[in-house]
Amino acid sequence: MLEDVGFVDVRIGPAVDTFAGASGEEKARAFAVYGYPFLARKPE
């Protein structure tokens, strides 16, 4: 999707447990919900 809007050099980082300690942590774990960092650049 990032490339579809013009970004290049798209990199996706490792999965991060963004729900640790949150009230919805149990449900997030049941559905294997994780966050992922993205890095990309838009060419000039």
Side-chain angles (χ1 to χ4, degrees), residues 16-31:
V16 178
D17 183 2
T18 57
F19 285 95
S23 61
E25 180 178 4
E26 184 177 316
K27 291 179 183 174
R29 294 207 189 282
F31 291 99

Side-chain angles (χ1 to χ4, degrees), residues 2-3 6-12 38-43:
L2 290 173
E3 292 164 334
F7 285 95
V8 296
D9 299 330
V10 177
R11 301 286 180 258
I12 303 171
F38 288 87
L39 179 65
R41 68 179 182 88
K42 188 107 177 188

